[in-house]
Amino acid sequence: MQYHLEMIGYDALLIRFTEADNAQLLPIIHNLSLQLTNAVDLDTVITDIIPSYQTLLVSFNIMKIEPHQLINKIHFYVKKILTDHLKVIDFPTLPITIPVCYHQSLAPDIESLSQHTGLSIADIIHIHSSTIYSCYAIGFMPNFGYLGNVDKRIQIPRHTAPRPQVPAGSVGIADNQTAIYPKASPGGWQIIGQSPLAADNLTVGCQVKFESMSLDDFQQYQNQYLHLQEAKS
């Protein structure tokens, strides 16, 4: 597996891996992020670490270390990971289960997805909710987890023009990724359902499984969740 480093501006370093697929890179990037976060010699140096599909962005305090010094340290940690000198930490075996209602009143794009794929809505629901997804990145907005990989049978491109408002909890598909909107926002993903949960506990490396629920259960669950949120405030 190959990698290279490149400076981003004057206070960030991008580690880019090549010649490996996303599934192979996920545990490597996750573990490298943990190693750098916990590195005693970098404790006062690194200000932020952002993992993604094939990259790890490391921001640092330019007043505490010279870029060439950090580059040498990063090489040290990357090579340890790639040569198995550090034990790879396994991800939790139990996925986070997120209930989703696929009723068409909450899934404005599920009918067009059915037409696009030639599959019935029932088949789409079964395929989407039967897969265990890995969280490869957090981005776009806080707690928005990019989950993959979506079964090729139900992949569809995102909308060419985004909707001005997508409700919180909406579950969408964009090509080989699926995601849940943690809060209402503009968005261009194909919406195939909605969860009554905020799903604000996703982290890179976690696993997620969607569980189909009825519209009645969704409404009851949503009411209970709203009451709990009101009680906390």
Side-chain angles (χ1 to χ4, degrees):
M1 185 180 300
Q2 302 295 317
Y3 75 95
H4 64 268
L5 308 180
E6 57 187 275
M7 288 296 298
I8 305 296
Y10 63 89
D11 63 351
L13 186 65
L14 187 70
I15 309 166
R16 185 183 301 276
F17 294 90
T18 59
E19 300 179 8
D21 61 32
N22 294 336
Q24 288 177 302
L25 285 175
L26 181 59
I28 292 172
I29 290 176
H30 176 72
N31 280 274
L32 180 58
S33 177
L34 291 177
Q35 293 297 329
L36 294 177
T37 299
N38 297 321
V40 176
D41 57 337
L42 297 175
D43 183 49
T44 62
V45 171
I46 293 177
T47 58
D48 195 17
I49 296 177
I50 303 176
S52 189
Y53 282 86
Q54 297 184 324
T55 62
L56 192 69
L57 181 66
V58 181
S59 299
F60 62 96
N61 187 338
I62 193 70
M63 303 301 292
K64 296 290 183 75
I65 194 170
E66 292 290 334
H68 73 272
Q69 294 174 316
L70 180 61
I71 286 172
N72 289 336
K73 289 179 180 290
I74 294 292
H75 277 305
F76 170 78
Y77 284 102
V78 173
K79 288 175 181 177
K80 272 194 172 183
I81 291 285
L82 295 183
T83 56
D84 293 327
H85 288 171
L86 290 175
K87 182 182 178 182
V88 174
I89 300 171
D90 293 330
F91 297 126
T93 55
L94 292 177
I96 298 169
T97 299
I98 299 177
V100 178
C101 179
Y102 296 92
H103 191 273
Q104 286 178 263
S105 63
L106 303 172
D109 297 314
I110 201 165
E111 178 62 39
S112 59
L113 177 59
S114 176
Q115 295 173 1
H116 175 80
T117 61
L119 297 170
S120 68
I121 290 177
D123 286 339
I124 291 170
I125 294 170
H126 174 72
I127 293 169
H128 186 259
S129 61
S130 296
T131 303
I132 295 178
Y133 303 95
S134 295
C135 183
Y136 287 96
I138 302 290
F140 170 56
M141 70 174 77
N143 300 315
F144 187 98
Y146 290 83
L147 310 175
N149 290 319
V150 171
D151 191 295
K152 291 182 178 180
R153 292 172 292 174
I154 59 171
Q155 291 182 13
I156 186 171
R158 68 185 68 205
H159 290 290
T160 53
R163 288 186 172 90
Q165 188 81 333
V166 175
S170 294
V171 176
I173 291 176
D175 297 313
N176 68 335
Q177 303 169 115
T178 186
I180 176 170
Y181 284 73
K183 64 179 181 179
S185 81
W189 292 44
Q190 305 276 349
I191 304 303
I192 63 164
Q194 188 174 347
S195 173
L197 298 180
D200 56 2
N201 60 338
L202 303 185
T203 58
V204 172
C206 74
Q207 293 187 314
V208 175
K209 187 178 187 302
F210 295 106
E211 186 175 76
S212 179
M213 68 190 315
S214 69
L215 182 60
D216 286 342
D217 287 343
F218 171 85
Q219 293 170 338
Q220 183 178 359
Y221 205 129
Q222 190 175 51
N223 289 335
Q224 291 174 348
Y225 180 76
L226 289 174
H227 289 155
L228 285 173
Q229 293 300 104
E230 289 173 0
K232 289 180 181 178
S233 60

